[in-house]
Amino acid sequence: MEPIVVNNNFKSEEYFINMGPQHPATHGVLRLLLTIDGEIIKKVEPDLGYIHRSIEKMCERDSYQQIVHLTDRMDYLSSNINNEAVCLAVENALQLEVPERVKVVRTIIGELTRIASHTLWWGVTGMDVGAFTTFFYGFRDREMINDIFEETCGARLTMNYNIPGGLMFDIHPNFVKRTKEFVAHFKTKLPEYDALLTNNVIFQHRTKGVGVLTKEDAISFGASGPVGRASGYSCDVRVHHPYSALDKVKFKEAIRTEGDTFARYKVRIQEMWESLSIIEQLIDNIPEGDHKVATNAVIKLPKGEFYQRVETARGELGVYIISTGTKNAHRVKFRSPGFSNLSLLNHISVGSKIGDLVAIMATLDLVIPDIDR
Amino acid sequence: MAWLNNSILEDMGYFSDIYQGIKSLLTGMSITGKYFLNFRKGSITQQYPENRETLKMFERFRGEVIMPHDENNEHRCTGCQACEIACPNGSIEIIWDRQLDEESGKKKKMIDKHIYHLGMCTMCGLCIEACPTDAIKWGQNFENSVYDRKYLDRVLNKPGSKLMKGVEE
């Protein structure tokens, strides 16, 4: 009787699969073309353009006041910081000095926006790796911030509260009280976040050592925000090029050196603590004064090129305006953090599994309208 | 997953790994259990369609653009078209003509129709910011679902309404 010969020389074959554009883990209409061998990822190619609205072209059509509301629709989770970027660029071009009150309020609302964005990110990150509770807990705390925004400016997400020259209207009388309530409330909730997800063994095993990005790669890919800082690259615009009232506050830049998915997670948790500290330093002494300085009804920038960078919840947003002296911009370019952070997805996810890719994408914190514009 | 190749299993003992795992799960479950037992306290869920009578939006809430009229059916819109120019996406359309003003006896620019396309509005608030006479303001109604988009095109000035006295000074 002949022995049965088992042929172990199976040759696996690479194949191609689509992830998205309607996949819940891609957080929007991002299509990833995956080349996989078994479950090991060989190549990730993002396919963009599903939500392209030609915002940069529309900025050439609209006046400078009207540009501001378009930036709400880019990175909608940090809409107020995007508005601030355009307003600062226009104010710098006009050499307009805004009142101290405006600077402080802008900074407070910017940090509140950052916390709102990070709580939502924390919720969906938990959901991506299979913990559904975090989604509700994150949204519960974000709701308080949204209520503050709704009372002060009327909108919850696409705020359009900044205008070139200041704020659209003054803060609501309840703003300070509600913000203090939120800070006190959120300080008791952040340790819960740690107990629920950070210290969870399953979560740590899913994230530690996954998607490692070295500091050199972070710099060469142009990573910014928490993605860059998790790799030890000090890239916080708030520290290096402070704008608004950020030069008056003291805070520590959240930096970790591991560069893996867990480090990116920890950086964002640390950033929420720092944002709380910034709000606490400013909320008690908002200077009195006007909420805006008068500008012409038709704003005409002087001839030239103007650039302004701000730190959104996702990284560095740059606004580049070329003006020829008319009431419309000749060209507006946005350097969006999501686009640069997406470019390194292929680099850090090759060799890992599909489940790891979901965890990596969750901590890159991509907002697709920010990438496509 | 990648953790199998990782050194986590090696540098942590088998039993301490199990202990750590159970401990971290119990820590998380103690928090969710705490909320489960105190579900009435700190619940932020609103029973929306049932609480429509008591639900009050914030005064600055951007629901829709409205034009307030007083009891004499008079509004404050002079037809200067500042809102139409300020609007980034053409949501506001003003049809005006020159009508005879009874007091001065001269022909004056007055609005015929102030048309607001709610379906195109992005709630940016630039029209209300631009209005020199505070003729339009935000309304708090947000229940705007209709069966046809033509119902979203509204004429803001009421029929037969005219300009309030003393606005133009």
Side-chain angles (χ1 to χ4, degrees):
Chain A
M1 194 175 161
E2 278 187 34
I4 300 164
V5 179
V6 179
N7 183 11
N8 279 330
N9 300 328
F10 285 122
K11 191 154 169 29
S12 62
E13 199 177 310
E14 286 186 5
Y15 64 102
F16 159 84
I17 196 168
N18 272 312
M19 187 173 174
Q22 290 294 333
H23 192 279
T26 55
H27 296 253
V29 277
L30 174 67
R31 179 176 170 220
L32 295 178
L33 311 162
L34 307 182
T35 310
I36 344 184
D37 183 1
E39 216 192 325
I40 309 222
I41 292 165
K42 296 285 177 197
K43 197 175 160 197
V44 183
E45 258 183 291
D47 181 20
L48 303 174
Y50 288 92
I51 192 160
H52 186 74
R53 295 144 298 168
S54 68
I55 283 185
E56 286 178 5
K57 189 70 189 169
M58 279 152 84
C59 287
E60 296 169 20
R61 179 199 68 184
D62 289 350
S63 73
Y64 288 105
Q65 289 102 324
Q66 292 172 342
I67 287 178
V68 178
H69 98 291
L70 291 172
T71 58
D72 278 338
R73 274 92 190 155
M74 280 161 35
D75 180 358
Y76 46 80
L77 290 179
S78 42
S79 56
N80 192 70
I81 313 178
N82 298 349
N83 297 164
E84 194 179 346
V86 178
C87 292
L88 286 172
V90 173
E91 282 156 14
N92 286 351
L94 293 173
Q95 294 181 336
L96 202 69
E97 185 62 33
V98 296
E100 284 298 307
R101 184 180 178 84
V102 174
K103 290 183 182 174
V104 170
V105 171
R106 274 180 182 175
T107 309
I108 291 172
I109 294 191
E111 294 308 311
L112 281 174
T113 313
R114 194 182 314 280
I115 294 175
S117 169
H118 282 351
T119 44
L120 188 139
W121 157 83
W122 179 79
V124 294
T125 298
M127 205 168 70
D128 280 349
V129 297
F132 201 74
T133 314
T134 60
F135 186 70
F136 294 114
Y137 284 34
F139 268 73
R140 174 197 62 194
D141 300 330
R142 184 169 169 271
E143 189 66 24
M144 284 187 80
I145 304 179
N146 277 350
D147 277 348
I148 296 172
F149 291 165
E150 195 181 338
E151 192 172 35
T152 282
C153 87
R156 295 162 68 81
L157 195 69
T158 51
M159 293 169 63
N160 195 31
Y161 184 44
N162 286 290
I163 51 170
L167 304 168
M168 205 177 252
F169 25 75
D170 206 359
I171 53 171
H172 196 272
N174 286 346
F175 176 77
V176 174
K177 194 186 98 207
R178 273 179 180 267
T179 309
K180 278 180 181 168
E181 272 171 19
F182 169 75
V183 171
H185 165 86
F186 199 55
K187 274 190 171 173
T188 62
K189 298 300 169 197
L190 264 173
E192 276 186 9
Y193 284 20
D194 282 343
L196 269 174
L197 197 62
T198 318
N199 299 334
N200 189 296
V201 167
I202 302 169
F203 179 72
Q204 292 200 1
H205 282 177
R206 281 289 302 270
T207 50
K208 274 188 179 166
V210 172
V212 178
L213 175 72
T214 61
K215 187 179 175 180
E216 288 71 36
D217 288 337
I219 293 171
S220 61
F221 276 103
S224 59
V227 179
R229 289 198 282 283
S231 303
Y233 168 36
S234 166
C235 58
D236 198 330
V237 181
R238 293 177 293 166
V239 173
H240 298 290
H241 306 276
Y243 51 92
S244 290
L246 282 164
D247 48 349
K248 290 191 201 70
V249 292
K250 286 192 175 63
F251 68 101
K252 231 172 89 225
E253 189 181 1
I255 288 192
R256 289 179 84 85
T257 48
E258 295 93 337
D260 60 354
T261 305
F262 191 66
R264 289 192 279 275
Y265 174 90
K266 288 286 276 183
V267 162
R268 288 204 177 86
I269 294 281
Q270 180 65 29
E271 269 194 10
M272 288 199 253
W273 283 108
E274 299 300 337
S275 293
L276 283 181
S277 125
I278 293 174
I279 293 169
E280 277 190 323
Q281 290 172 48
L282 293 174
I283 193 72
D284 275 323
N285 33 31
I286 300 177
E288 295 296 319
D290 291 337
H291 61 275
K292 64 176 174 187
V293 286
T295 52
N296 294 337
V298 178
I299 294 181
K300 285 183 183 173
L301 293 200
K303 201 174 175 185
E305 303 177 3
F306 310 99
Y307 187 72
Q308 176 67 42
R309 53 201 341 208
V310 294
E311 179 82 13
T312 71
R314 258 144 225 91
E316 181 188 327
L317 173 79
V319 178
Y320 181 52
I321 299 177
I322 302 178
S323 166
T324 50
T326 57
K327 67 186 173 68
N328 304 106
H330 178 67
R331 174 87 169 88
V332 178
K333 164 92 179 86
F334 294 108
R335 184 258 183 233
S336 71
F339 191 78
S340 311
N341 291 353
L342 177 70
S343 70
L344 50 85
L345 180 66
N346 180 49
H347 181 72
I348 60 176
S349 56
V350 164
S352 50
K353 307 274 171 63
I354 290 181
D356 295 334
L357 178 69
V358 173
I360 291 168
M361 282 196 51
T363 51
L364 284 185
D365 196 11
L366 303 170
V367 167
I368 312 306
D370 183 36
I371 297 164
D372 253 352
R373 296 196 289 284
Chain B
M1 303 293 145
W3 64 274
L4 276 176
N5 318 329
N6 213 321
S7 60
I8 294 173
L9 276 185
E10 278 123 42
D11 55 36
M12 209 192 274
Y14 179 69
F15 289 106
S16 78
D17 196 21
I18 292 174
Y19 170 72
Q20 289 292 336
I22 292 173
K23 193 183 147 197
S24 79
L25 286 180
L26 285 179
T27 318
M29 281 173 79
S30 72
I31 289 168
T32 48
K34 200 176 77 194
Y35 282 109
F36 177 67
L37 293 174
N38 302 315
F39 66 96
R40 285 187 199 283
K41 205 174 87 184
S43 167
I44 59 156
T45 315
Q46 292 185 8
Q47 302 297 328
Y48 162 58
E50 286 85 24
N51 72 348
R52 280 175 71 180
E53 276 77 34
T54 53
L55 182 70
K56 196 175 173 301
M57 305 307 288
F58 293 113
E59 57 184 304
R60 291 180 182 177
F61 176 71
R62 300 178 185 172
E64 57 182 355
V65 174
I66 54 169
M67 185 183 284
H69 288 63
D70 67 356
E71 61 275 5
N72 303 328
N73 202 13
E74 289 174 340
H75 56 75
R76 298 176 65 86
C77 181
T78 58
C80 69
Q81 291 176 298
C83 51
E84 191 177 359
I85 295 163
C87 183
N89 39 30
S91 312
I92 294 179
E93 219 177 302
I94 295 176
I95 300 172
W96 58 274
D97 54 0
R98 293 194 186 278
Q99 292 168 3
L100 193 71
D101 190 33
E102 288 147 13
E103 270 183 29
S104 58
K106 285 178 195 160
K107 281 201 167 180
K108 229 167 68 177
K109 186 177 175 183
M110 282 186 183
I111 55 165
D112 187 20
K113 276 179 183 171
H114 188 294
I115 303 172
Y116 169 52
H117 303 282
L118 176 60
M120 275 158 38
C121 183
T122 54
M123 312 290 165
C124 66
L126 291 174
C127 52
I128 290 160
E129 182 72 13
C131 184
T133 56
D134 295 331
I136 46 176
K137 67 184 194 83
W138 284 116
Q140 272 75 39
N141 174 35
F142 59 91
E143 291 163 334
N144 289 320
S145 58
V146 285
Y147 282 105
D148 196 305
R149 63 181 280 188
K150 72 180 178 209
Y151 298 118
L152 293 173
D153 299 340
R154 294 169 183 179
V155 180
L156 291 186
N157 55 326
K158 289 180 187 164
S161 63
K162 41 180 216 285
L163 179 65
M164 207 180 284
K165 281 196 182 65
V167 170
E168 276 174 307
E169 277 86 52

